[in-house]
Amino acid sequence: MPKRIQYSRHGGPEVLEWTDFTLPDPGDYDVVVENKAIGINYIDTYFRSGLYPSPCLPAGLGTEAAGVVLRTGRAVSRVSAGDRVVYAQSAAGAYSEQHIVHQDRLVILPDSISYQQAAASFLKGLTVQYLLRQTYPVTAGETLLFHAAAGGVGLIACQWAKALGAKLIGTVGSAEKAQAAKQAGAVATINYRQEDIAARVLALTGGQKVPVVYDSVGNDSWEASLDCLQRRGLMVSFGNSSGPVTGVNLGILNQKGSLFVTRPSLSGYITTASELDAASHELFTLLASGAIKVPVAESQKFALKEAALAHRQLESRATQGSSLLIP
């Protein structure tokens, strides 16, 4: 009987349970994947804590992993048993030894990309793809502000922006994280614990500010982000690591220069199998070329049963880049 991580109540990392579970039979278009490496994403903590409450408990956690196809439903055509695959946006439950995934969420993994590379980069890489290539299509020579630049999404964004010829200014919380962001391609960093973000952006851009801000922090950085934008600039709020943005006065957008705001999500941009294939191809091409690298520190690889410890480290902001669970 396979094992998984589940939670029976919302709360802190301590609610995560290591338990046996019964894997149901796959439906006609479903695939059973034996997970080899599992991606940890900040959104997982939102479901566990109840910020995004689960309608049915106990519930599994996680939506991203790489592994091998064990068996398929009778109508599956995208993959076959034995294929190396990676998936994201699955039904919750990827924190498991085996997981059932709809075929439209699966992509064949190129031989040049390892399971750990894939699990560390897929959901985060797809997120960067829709942010930089679709929500606001960044062009060569443009300057942008990206919060949490030394996080899993942020380090990929630094590299992708560099590949596009754009100039990414990244916010970070320590000198060590500043170094990591710069090594990944950020042209400059701002330590939000010590510096005024808006004042530094003004100085770094020669008073011009930036046309777009990508903000996964939420409540703590909302006002500063708006102050970094040019007239008619775009605020892209795509996460809530410091808590959700609430009670927004739309008049502020007018006062600060007729600003635009969007709250996008991956599922709103990469919805169909064809959209997934196109975005994955772009990501895999950059990974294969070496333009994007996603090393995972050994200290950020956890046994699957250690998911609670992994969440504690993630929420303490002690991690850099991606973290993995290994079944």
Side-chain angles (χ1 to χ4, degrees):
M1 182 175 288
K3 286 184 173 290
R4 74 169 182 172
I5 294 292
Q6 67 178 34
Y7 57 103
S8 300
R9 59 188 174 90
H10 295 292
E14 70 279 357
V15 305
L16 297 180
E17 307 162 353
W18 174 240
T19 183
D20 296 325
F21 79 109
T22 300
L23 193 75
D25 291 330
D28 287 352
Y29 294 94
D30 290 335
V31 176
V32 178
V33 179
E34 180 180 40
N35 290 331
K36 299 296 187 182
I38 300 160
I40 303 172
N41 295 284
Y42 211 94
I43 194 172
D44 301 342
T45 70
Y46 299 164
F47 287 101
R48 186 213 69 222
S49 68
L51 179 63
Y52 297 166
S54 173
C56 183
L57 297 174
L61 195 62
T63 63
E64 173 187 36
V68 178
V69 174
L70 289 182
R71 61 185 187 277
T72 65
R74 60 184 180 180
V76 168
S77 58
R78 278 176 69 83
V79 297
S80 303
D83 282 345
R84 300 172 72 252
V85 294
V86 60
Y87 61 87
Q89 297 177 277
S90 70
Y95 284 21
S96 59
E97 293 176 334
Q98 297 178 17
H99 190 38
I100 292 179
V101 185
H102 191 281
Q103 68 164 354
D104 287 350
R105 297 294 96 203
L106 289 164
V107 175
I108 297 287
L109 191 59
D111 291 339
S112 59
I113 299 173
S114 71
Y115 294 122
Q116 291 193 12
Q117 267 188 304
S121 67
F122 196 55
L123 186 61
K124 298 174 183 69
L126 294 180
T127 297
V128 175
Q129 195 279 339
Y130 88 75
L131 289 172
L132 300 190
R133 304 285 287 142
Q134 299 187 66
T135 304
Y136 180 96
V138 173
T139 59
E142 281 190 306
T143 302
L144 58 104
L145 179 67
F146 205 102
H147 286 288
V153 171
L155 288 177
I156 293 175
C158 289
Q159 296 173 82
W160 206 315
K162 182 179 179 181
L164 292 171
K167 302 172 185 177
L168 184 146
I169 300 169
T171 68
V172 295
S174 69
E176 183 183 14
K177 290 188 174 185
Q179 183 180 14
K182 287 179 180 176
Q183 287 177 343
V187 297
T189 58
I190 301 169
N191 187 329
Y192 63 83
R193 299 182 192 277
Q194 300 174 348
E195 301 175 279
D196 182 291
I197 294 172
R200 282 290 292 143
V201 166
L202 199 64
L204 288 167
T205 59
Q208 297 300 304
K209 301 187 180 181
V210 295
V212 61
V213 174
Y214 297 98
D215 189 342
S216 63
V217 177
N219 183 65
D220 288 357
S221 56
W222 170 255
E223 288 283 350
S225 292
L226 297 182
D227 287 336
C228 294
L229 285 166
Q230 297 172 358
R231 184 166 56 98
R232 297 198 301 273
L234 175 63
M235 167 67 172
V236 183
S237 177
F238 70 100
N240 315 284
S241 63
S242 69
V245 177
T246 59
V248 175
N249 174 9
L250 291 180
I252 294 293
L253 304 179
N254 174 37
Q255 295 168 21
K256 293 184 181 295
S258 296
L259 304 178
F260 293 88
V261 176
T262 184
R263 182 61 173 87
S265 68
L266 182 63
S267 61
Y269 280 86
I270 301 175
T271 307
T272 66
S274 61
E275 290 170 343
L276 178 62
D277 288 341
S280 300
H281 176 73
E282 194 169 353
L283 173 62
F284 291 159
T285 298
L286 289 169
L287 286 169
S289 72
I292 290 178
K293 297 181 175 68
V294 282
V296 180
E298 289 301 317
S299 62
Q300 291 178 210
K301 296 177 185 177
F302 304 86
L304 177 54
K305 63 183 178 182
E306 296 178 325
L309 174 60
H311 274 217
R312 288 189 187 97
Q313 289 206 14
L314 184 66
E315 290 180 296
S316 71
R317 300 191 184 184
T319 61
Q320 282 187 24
S322 299
S323 298
L324 295 175
L325 297 172
I326 309 298

